[in-house]
Amino acid sequence: MPTNKPTNQQTAKKKPQVTASPERRRELLDTAAEVFAAQGYNATTVRKIADAAGMLAGSLYYHFDSKESMLDEILSAFLNELWQGYDTVLAAGLGPRETIEALVTESFREIDQHRAAVAIYQKEARTLSAQPRFHYLSDSQQKFEKAWLGTLERGVAAKVFRADLDIRLTYRFVRDTVWVAASWYRPGGQHSPEEIARQYLSMVLDGIALRT
């Protein structure tokens, strides 16, 4: 007859949940982001992240249940902040040129704040977006494309931008040349994100040839 004796799985003690301070959690996620950016998501293990953070791999599991959870938090935090800035720009009622200028400036500010997350996004978004947990990456990309294409189209219609522009090609050029900066930009360098944006916009909107 049944004895109702607990199984080993039922009696096993769970690891205690440790709530890290917001500062410590941020530090761990920043470390994980740097490792993901340098080595790639698939090649990164929890042990590698723990080593970089100066702790045991088992200790890291007290704070995060998987490397997937860490990556999810890194990318979602970056995109949430990016869209707070973008939505503010898009709701400001600026002209097309001013909107492009503000979006580019906001983009470089995000690279300054989330350089590693941007690098991860650039490398991994296409693959990750196929997973249900990261489907928001695809949604964000579609929203991003709509915002930029819409602004460029508005500029052409208003005769602020050239009528012969290939809108989609222009969008891809601006998108890629802005975000590739994450591969070389380092916070605290010689130029602020606002100065880099100003120089970039000068080249894109006004060209580099000497006017005669």
Side-chain angles (χ1 to χ4, degrees):
M1 60 183 295
T3 61
N4 294 323
K5 182 179 179 179
T7 64
N8 290 336
Q9 184 176 3
Q10 290 171 324
T11 57
K13 293 182 179 180
K14 294 182 179 180
K15 290 183 178 180
Q17 296 298 307
V18 176
T19 302
S21 68
E23 294 77 15
R24 179 55 174 160
R25 189 176 184 85
R26 185 71 261 160
E27 288 176 1
L28 293 173
L29 287 172
D30 286 346
T31 298
E34 292 294 340
V35 179
F36 285 134
Q39 302 189 19
Y41 176 66
N42 288 333
T44 297
T45 62
V46 171
R47 180 177 295 278
K48 288 181 179 180
I49 297 172
D51 288 344
M55 62 195 303
L56 297 174
S59 298
L60 193 58
Y61 280 114
Y62 285 120
H63 304 289
F64 304 96
D65 61 12
S66 65
K67 71 171 188 176
E68 183 182 50
S69 292
M70 285 183 273
L71 183 63
D72 187 6
E73 195 162 337
I74 290 164
L75 292 176
S76 60
F78 154 59
L79 289 174
N80 286 339
E81 188 171 309
L82 174 70
W83 279 108
Q84 285 177 9
Y86 269 27
D87 287 341
T88 298
V89 169
L90 296 170
L94 301 173
R97 178 173 176 134
E98 292 75 19
T99 299
I100 291 292
E101 291 173 342
L103 289 175
V104 167
T105 301
E106 187 63 35
S107 298
F108 279 110
R109 286 173 178 155
E110 290 304 314
I111 292 172
D112 180 63
Q113 293 296 314
H114 300 282
R115 185 201 61 80
V118 173
I120 297 166
Y121 183 89
Q122 292 287 92
K123 295 176 184 177
E124 311 283 0
R126 180 172 296 181
T127 301
L128 289 171
S129 61
Q131 302 178 27
R133 182 168 188 168
F134 292 98
H135 189 68
Y136 63 85
L137 298 177
S138 179
D139 294 338
S140 181
Q141 177 58 36
Q142 292 176 19
K143 184 179 177 182
F144 185 91
E145 183 173 311
K146 181 179 179 181
W148 282 84
L149 288 176
T151 302
L152 290 167
E153 289 169 352
R154 187 160 58 94
V156 170
K159 297 183 179 180
V160 173
F161 303 141
R162 293 184 353 231
D164 64 336
L165 283 182
D166 183 314
I167 297 298
R168 186 163 291 275
L169 185 61
T170 302
Y171 155 70
R172 288 174 175 169
F173 171 80
V174 172
R175 177 197 64 191
D176 292 348
T177 53
V178 166
W179 293 109
V180 76
S183 66
W184 53 261
Y185 178 81
R186 293 297 179 270
Q190 182 179 356
H191 301 291
S192 69
E194 290 79 12
E195 172 61 17
I196 294 174
R198 187 185 70 78
Q199 290 284 343
Y200 174 84
L201 287 162
S202 175
M203 288 184 284
V204 170
L205 297 176
D206 300 320
I208 63 173
L210 182 65
R211 294 180 180 180
T212 59

